[in-house]
């Protein structure tokens, strides 16, 4: 969608997905504990949701916790789980006020009963909202998602699939593929994020650490996206 943003005509992607990296480094640089970076990171998620919607982005997906993140020190994992739980519960009012539809993707069986309850409640309450489609990837891995989808297909007795059938069993069945994937903190890897869905996505890497990420950085990413010629393998 073409939109005038701060005097500039930009092609705004419908769906932006973000690998929010650099919380730990941000905190360490400030002489704080790594978890302080995650708390700051959660606040940034909230402001970026608002900014994204105001720019005309309809879907925003963020990578909060990967299937590999369990390997982190146990204290950090517990703090993150506590943070997610509080976020899902405390932000409900805000999500409702901002008319956001919230979805969680990932393997819920690995998350606590408390978190599962908060997820169910949040998804149910926000299901009718028509503003930003905000998706949080939690205990998510792209390969794991595909394996879970295949196992569910098998359980349903399906013996042969096409792309559309497999897609409909993914956690993201209801949401379009991302047009643009942003990764912060200078790392340039996919890290098992939305492997199936990013087949044709544009990637944008920035050295900015996630807790420092602002509207202006989001616009830089949208500008880069705008300037690229998308050919989908054709000419
Ligand atoms: C990567 O930084 C960040 C994470 C593994 C966690 C992401 C979580 C948040 C931004 C906060 C909560 C989000 C929501 C949606 C409530 P890192 O720890 O890998 O940083 P480093 O690479 O500098 O060590």
């Amino acid at each position: 969608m073409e939109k005038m943003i701060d005097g500039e005509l930009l092609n705004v992607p419908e769906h932006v997905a973000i690998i929010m990296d650099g919380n730990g480094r941000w905190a360490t640089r400030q002489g704080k504990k790594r978890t302080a970076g995650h708390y700051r990171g959660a606040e940034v998620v909230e402001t970026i949701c608002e900014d994204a919607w105001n720019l005309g982005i309809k879907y925003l997906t963020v990578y909060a916790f990967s299937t590999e993140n369990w390997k982190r020190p146990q204290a950090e994992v517990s703090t993150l789980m506590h943070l997610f739980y509080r976020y899902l519960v405390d932000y409900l009012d805000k999500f409702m006020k901002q008319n956001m539809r919230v979805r969680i993707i990932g393997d819920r069986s690995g998350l606590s009963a408390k978190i599962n309850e908060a997820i169910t409640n949040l998804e149910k309450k926000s299901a009718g909202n028509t503003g930003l489609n905000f998706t949080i990837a939690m205990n998510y891995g792209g390969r794991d998602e595909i394996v879970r989808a295949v196992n569910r297909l098998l359980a349903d007795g399906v013996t042969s699939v096409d792309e559309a059938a497999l897609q409909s069993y993914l956690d993201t069945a209801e949401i379009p593929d991302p047009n643009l994937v942003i990764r912060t903190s200078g790392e340039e890897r996919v890290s098992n994020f939305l492997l199936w869905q990013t087949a044709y996505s544009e990637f944008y890497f920035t050295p900015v650490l996630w807790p420092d990420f602002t509207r202006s950085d989001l616009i830089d990413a949208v500008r880069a996206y705008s300037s690229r010629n998308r050919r989908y393998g054709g000419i």
Side-chain angles (χ1 to χ4, degrees):
M1 179 191 65
E2 298 232 310
K3 198 176 165 189
M4 207 59 169
I5 292 165
D6 300 350
E8 199 180 354
L9 188 64
L10 293 177
N11 179 16
V12 177
E14 179 188 32
H15 182 178
V16 175
I18 309 183
I19 303 176
M20 310 177 290
D21 203 359
N23 293 348
R25 273 164 286 168
W26 180 88
T28 308
R29 276 179 205 174
Q30 312 225 347
K32 295 178 180 158
K33 285 202 291 186
R34 287 176 54 80
T35 46
H38 298 317
Y39 278 94
R40 175 70 198 134
E43 289 168 12
V44 173
V45 171
E46 204 227 326
T47 55
I48 290 298
C49 281
E50 250 187 275
D51 294 332
W53 179 250
N54 291 331
L55 294 181
I57 293 162
K58 307 281 185 237
Y59 292 82
L60 183 76
T61 301
V62 297
Y63 204 3
F65 195 87
S66 77
T67 46
E68 289 73 37
N69 283 152
W70 297 104
K71 294 183 206 141
R72 291 186 175 217
Q74 208 253 319
E76 184 173 341
V77 171
S78 316
T79 304
L80 276 168
M81 288 301 147
H82 176 73
L83 169 62
F84 296 147
Y85 175 71
R86 293 270 32 125
Y87 190 84
L88 298 170
V89 172
D90 295 345
Y91 281 65
L92 175 64
D93 280 353
K94 226 165 220 170
F95 293 141
M96 295 308 289
K97 263 190 211 116
Q98 291 173 357
N99 196 20
M100 285 160 65
R101 173 148 194 201
V102 187
R103 296 177 177 91
I104 311 297
I105 56 170
D107 181 5
R108 295 180 191 193
S109 71
L111 299 168
S112 71
K114 248 171 72 171
I115 291 183
N116 269 283
E117 212 176 286
I119 290 174
T120 310
N121 184 44
L122 186 53
E123 287 190 334
K124 203 166 102 194
K125 292 225 165 94
S126 73
N129 290 349
T130 53
L132 180 74
N133 285 278
F134 177 48
T135 303
I136 307 173
M138 222 177 254
N139 195 24
Y140 176 87
R143 289 185 176 180
D144 177 70
E145 179 191 30
I146 294 168
V147 170
R148 282 187 290 106
V150 170
N151 279 321
R152 284 171 46 225
L153 280 156
L154 293 172
D156 285 351
V158 178
T159 51
S160 152
V161 289
D162 56 13
E163 288 188 11
L166 181 49
Q167 196 270 337
S168 74
Y169 274 73
L170 294 176
D171 298 345
T172 53
E174 290 180 2
I175 58 183
D177 289 344
N179 312 93
L180 171 66
V181 179
I182 299 171
R183 182 166 189 157
T184 60
S185 93
E187 307 291 343
E188 302 189 350
R189 293 185 297 280
V190 177
S191 297
N192 208 7
F193 188 44
L194 302 176
L195 295 182
W196 173 280
Q197 298 85 344
T198 54
Y200 294 101
S201 305
E202 295 288 340
F203 282 79
Y204 177 82
F205 301 104
T206 170
V208 175
L209 304 177
W210 177 251
D212 289 328
F213 195 83
T214 62
R215 174 180 185 271
S216 148
D217 298 309
L218 183 58
I219 294 174
D220 287 348
V222 170
R223 186 182 299 113
Y225 169 82
S226 256
S227 70
R228 294 182 196 173
N229 186 12
R230 312 187 72 228
R231 286 187 290 261
Y232 290 103
I235 48 164

